[in-house]
Amino acid sequence: MNQAQIYQLIAGNTFPDTTRNPELMETHISWVILTDHYAFKIKKPVKYSFLDFSTLKNRAYFTRRELLLNSRFSEGVYLKRLPVWEYKGKVSLEENGGEIIDWAIMMRRMNKEKQMNNMLKEGQVTPKHIEELAERLADFHRNAKIIFLPQSLYNLKQNFNDILTTRELAEVVSPEVAQTIDRAVYVSNRFLLGHQQDFRKRVERGFVRDCHGDLHTGNIFLESPPVIFDCIEFNDEWRHADVLDDLAFLCMDIEAAGGEDLSEIFLQKYLQRFPCITTPSDVAILTYYKLYRANVRMKVTLLEMAKNTLSAQEIETHKNRIKKYSELINHYITQLATPSVIGVTVS
């Protein structure tokens, strides 16, 4: 499908739901049409180094994968696949005698007021929310398929060091942010070189599993029970990771929102349910993954800041966010130097 056909679909209003004003949301890889009770997600016909949605066959395959993989922890949210039909220029989600031009995933529409990132901003996340989420994630990780494949530390190094491409942008924010990038890359290279055996042991111990892959607070709704959704379906390598990578992304995101105490509550409750950290090297690797995730978030925010479409106020907001990630990166670097100070109980 293309943008014009999406607009035709919205204008025709042929959804299995009652709605007067369908709302369109976009990401760089998907269109999402919101009706009163549902969301209809359609993949864009795009191709990048890390995914290929360029053909109808691929989009059909990955919609099936998305439905299957997210059913592991999103019961009642991902409902079914629907064909998108076209006949005589009319695009519809109802069969109209034409041909299938794409596939949509029908999902229950979630309440944005329950989205974890929004609740963190409003100071509405409670220890009870956090403990319920920790138990749910721990149960998922504990039962996830074990992947006995070595993690590519070369790829991890390359992905981390890619932030050097944004160094000039960082100088615009402040010389200190640019210096943080240099320091982080140096620390990352040394850490990966010195802990190769520790990463390898975690594979042997069965802690590399079929995880979520994109576990940030925007992909969680704090209902009861909590709903985790939108895992990586298009790239198995990104999802087949140490459970500490999933865990670190979420903890880092909570900490970036000022929830350090909530992050500690989450981690301790999770480890009671699934003790995947038992040695000082495990603690260090968790911290490294936090460093990695903060690094990626800062890089993405730097690139977003460079867009010509941003207002002066939006640029200032991005700069403040970048400085926050820079502070987190330096904090994690300090923790890597003294991992025993991290609030994690190891047996």
Side-chain angles (χ1 to χ4, degrees):
M1 292 185 70
N2 56 40
Q3 193 84 31
Q5 290 170 321
I6 289 292
Y7 289 144
Q8 288 175 26
L9 178 60
I10 293 173
N13 203 358
T14 55
F15 302 99
D17 191 17
T18 56
T19 182
R20 291 186 178 182
N21 298 301
E23 179 184 348
L24 176 64
M25 299 176 60
E26 292 190 50
T27 69
H28 63 296
I29 62 174
S30 299
W31 293 290
V32 180
I33 302 170
L34 301 176
T35 62
D36 290 346
H37 304 99
Y38 302 107
F40 300 89
K41 183 178 180 181
I42 300 170
K43 299 184 185 303
K44 291 181 176 180
V46 293
K47 183 176 182 179
Y48 300 111
S49 60
F50 54 89
L51 67 80
D52 185 359
F53 294 163
S54 61
T55 67
L56 177 59
K57 180 180 179 181
N58 283 3
R59 294 195 298 279
Y61 171 76
F62 283 115
T63 51
R64 287 194 297 269
R65 290 288 288 165
E66 183 170 3
L67 203 61
L68 174 66
L69 290 167
N70 281 286
S71 67
R72 298 176 298 168
F73 37 69
S74 302
E75 299 90 342
V77 176
Y78 287 76
L79 303 177
K80 58 183 175 180
R81 295 167 70 235
L82 293 174
V84 183
W85 300 86
E86 183 178 37
Y87 181 66
K88 293 184 178 181
K90 182 180 179 181
V91 182
S92 173
L93 285 176
E94 298 176 351
E95 186 171 358
N96 58 13
E99 65 172 326
I100 296 175
I101 61 170
D102 232 309
W103 293 90
I105 296 177
M106 181 176 174
M107 305 166 62
R108 172 167 65 90
R109 183 170 180 175
M110 308 294 291
N111 181 0
K112 289 191 73 67
E113 292 182 359
K114 294 290 186 180
Q115 199 166 7
M116 188 175 183
N117 58 336
N118 294 329
M119 292 183 67
L120 281 167
K121 289 177 185 176
E122 299 299 324
Q124 297 174 343
V125 178
T126 67
K128 182 180 179 182
H129 287 131
I130 289 293
E131 290 181 353
E132 288 181 350
L133 177 60
E135 290 176 352
R136 187 158 182 79
L137 182 63
D139 289 346
F140 163 60
H141 280 163
R142 189 176 58 207
N143 296 311
K145 180 182 178 182
I146 298 174
I147 307 295
F148 286 107
L149 290 175
Q151 300 291 279
S152 175
L153 298 189
Y154 173 80
N155 287 348
L156 189 55
K157 176 182 176 181
Q158 294 299 108
N159 291 339
F160 193 106
N161 292 357
D162 190 60
I163 198 170
L164 289 170
T165 61
T166 65
R167 196 183 186 285
E168 289 186 10
L169 296 171
E171 287 278 7
V172 174
V173 179
S174 75
E176 290 76 18
V177 172
Q179 291 166 11
T180 294
I181 289 176
D182 294 337
R183 185 183 182 206
V185 168
Y186 174 78
V187 169
S188 172
N189 290 342
R190 286 182 59 86
F191 185 88
L192 292 175
L193 183 64
H195 289 78
Q196 295 179 67
Q197 188 175 359
D198 295 325
F199 280 99
R200 195 159 47 243
K201 284 181 178 178
R202 288 195 58 82
V203 179
E204 295 168 357
R205 291 159 64 195
F207 289 130
V208 172
R209 305 200 173 196
D210 193 341
C211 294
H212 183 284
D214 194 26
L215 194 60
H216 57 79
T217 57
N219 282 341
I220 296 168
F221 286 85
L222 294 178
E223 297 184 348
S224 187
V227 173
I228 301 169
F229 78 111
D230 205 22
C231 77
I232 298 292
E233 88 284 356
F234 52 79
N235 189 318
D236 288 350
E237 183 182 347
W238 288 9
R239 205 181 59 254
H240 293 171
D242 195 314
V243 295
L244 293 185
D245 191 5
D246 260 2
L247 192 59
F249 194 178
L250 182 53
C251 287
M252 182 282 298
D253 214 26
I254 295 171
E255 291 163 17
E260 290 84 359
D261 292 345
L262 293 174
S263 176
E264 184 174 346
I265 292 170
F266 175 85
L267 188 57
Q268 296 298 345
K269 190 68 174 181
Y270 174 100
L271 293 175
Q272 289 174 15
R273 200 91 162 190
F274 183 39
C276 61
I277 298 178
T278 58
T279 69
S281 66
D282 293 337
V283 176
I285 290 173
L286 172 68
T287 308
Y288 176 80
Y289 278 125
K290 284 186 181 182
L291 174 67
Y292 170 73
R293 290 296 186 172
N295 162 79
V296 172
R297 275 298 179 91
M298 187 165 80
K299 178 184 71 176
V300 170
T301 311
L302 282 163
L303 293 172
E304 288 177 348
M305 186 191 70
K307 292 179 180 177
N308 295 327
T309 55
L310 297 184
S311 66
Q313 183 177 355
E314 288 172 329
I315 291 174
E316 194 61 30
T317 298
H318 278 65
K319 285 183 177 180
N320 290 335
R321 192 174 299 139
I322 289 161
K323 290 176 182 177
K324 176 62 180 177
Y325 287 127
S326 179
E327 290 172 5
L328 269 181
I329 285 170
N330 282 309
H331 176 60
Y332 297 144
I333 288 173
T334 300
Q335 286 189 334
L336 280 177
T338 54
S340 60
V341 304
I342 306 174
V344 177
T345 302
V346 297
S347 57

